Amino acid sequence: GNLGRASSVANTALLADMQQFGGVNTEGCSELEGPTGTAYILQFEDNDNAIVLVGGANQDWPGLASLLGGNEGSGLRAAIGRSSAVMLQREVPDHVNVAVAQCAAALGKDVFMDVGGTDSPLDPALLPYLGVVAPNESELTFITGVETKGPDGKPELQRVRAAVAALKDSCRAAGNPSVEVLVTFGGEGSLHFSAGWDGAGEAAADGALPLECRMGSFVLGTADGRPVDTTGAGDCFRGSYVAARYADGKGVAESLRWAAAAASLACEVEGAMVSMPDRASICERLQGPMVGAPPA
């Protein structure tokens, strides 16, 4: 389900459509008077994108104490209790994510951190509660200060590993030694670093060190093999990974493959919400060929 704040002026019909036609439970969304949040999506010649966010209603939340113990936060806490896992993103005030993470941890729910939405470092108050941090290679630089790309502008594996090590060190210093890190590389795939990863050991045939899991991407079904629109593909990947891993109980490798299949389908449709695939389509895509791999 979706937990958020929406404009009663602009979003009432949208929330109803999401629940009726999109299968998204929006009962946890509150409607407020005032302007809606807005995302301005800039699409480039290669059909990649960048997004400018204006927070609107989703920036208007009760305070930390109310969310954790007051009546205003009761619905939020109940929804967390019913969940398989909690996904956070950074288009809401930091204290909201802290409250949700604290509540989820207290209830034994896994907390998955999508770091998109801002290029600022992670709130230190969040670090003790995170189970998985999931940046792309650029966001990994934003939250660690460690450059992940080489002189040619492409991500380099040793730089990515150094940034992951720095992120794990920060979490360990905050009392969280078991955080996992999932780094995505667009059409090149993804790389998962397990809780016990320390960068040591001998690399396997695919270049992965112990406790690393590499996953490529699926061949697109478009006429030219190129994406139509990548808007929402990263969200689709991460949401599909969480559903597979925590709701369906799949392992890391199987969840990464499921997420890669879902995201590839999202790239074939123009738009964001309308591009989210259904389960049957993902199962069909899983039978198709894969290409690429994270940087070696």
Side-chain angles (χ1 to χ4, degrees):
N2 183 278
L3 304 174
R5 310 277 274 184
S7 168
S8 58
V9 176
N11 296 133
T12 298
L14 176 62
L15 291 176
D17 286 348
M18 286 172 62
Q19 180 140 327
Q20 182 176 355
F21 303 112
V24 178
N25 187 333
T26 59
E27 294 176 359
C29 292
S30 303
E31 294 185 42
L32 310 174
E33 294 184 4
T36 182
T38 306
Y40 296 93
I41 302 171
L42 313 176
Q43 189 171 23
F44 304 120
E45 290 183 358
D46 63 355
N47 291 335
D48 203 350
N49 71 85
I51 302 176
V52 178
L53 294 169
V54 179
N58 221 15
Q59 290 291 316
D60 186 6
W61 285 78
L64 180 65
S66 294
L67 291 174
L68 287 174
N71 289 334
E72 288 182 291
S74 59
L76 181 69
R77 298 191 300 273
I80 294 170
R82 295 190 299 269
S83 70
S84 299
V86 173
M87 292 186 69
L88 304 178
Q89 47 82 14
R90 301 204 289 171
E91 297 171 20
V92 296
D94 285 344
H95 79 271
V96 178
N97 279 336
V98 172
V100 172
Q102 287 183 358
C103 180
L107 293 171
K109 306 295 182 178
D110 287 288
V111 179
F112 184 98
M113 183 78 235
D114 180 342
V115 303
T118 176
D119 59 3
S120 61
L122 284 173
D123 185 344
L126 271 176
L127 299 184
Y129 308 104
L130 302 180
V132 183
V133 181
N136 62 31
E137 77 275 11
S138 298
E139 293 164 346
L140 182 57
T141 294
F142 295 155
I143 63 175
T144 64
V146 178
E147 180 56 66
T148 59
K149 297 178 181 178
D152 61 357
K154 297 180 179 180
E156 294 182 356
L157 182 54
Q158 292 308 318
R159 292 174 181 263
V160 171
R161 284 173 173 152
V164 169
L167 175 57
K168 281 179 162 283
D169 285 345
S170 296
C171 291
R172 188 177 298 107
N176 181 2
S178 58
V179 68
E180 301 173 19
V181 182
L182 171 55
V183 186
T184 56
F185 301 90
E188 298 302 314
S190 59
L191 183 55
H192 178 273
F193 300 81
S194 294
W197 179 89
D198 61 4
E202 184 175 348
D206 66 353
L209 293 176
L211 301 180
E212 293 179 359
C213 185
R214 298 162 63 89
M215 188 60 59
S217 58
F218 280 84
V219 174
L220 299 184
T222 54
D224 60 2
R226 299 178 60 198
V228 172
D229 185 358
T230 61
T231 307
D235 294 329
C236 180
F237 180 95
R238 293 174 178 86
S240 298
Y241 177 86
V242 169
R245 177 102 184 263
Y246 301 107
D248 293 347
K250 293 179 170 66
V252 169
E254 191 177 3
S255 297
L256 290 174
R257 195 164 180 272
W258 178 269
S264 72
L265 290 163
C267 291
E268 297 176 1
V269 179
E270 187 172 3
M273 286 191 292
V274 296
S275 72
M276 299 297 110
D278 58 24
R279 181 176 288 268
S281 299
I282 298 172
C283 289
E284 183 177 353
R285 178 53 54 89
L286 285 171
Q287 308 308 312
M290 297 189 74
V291 294

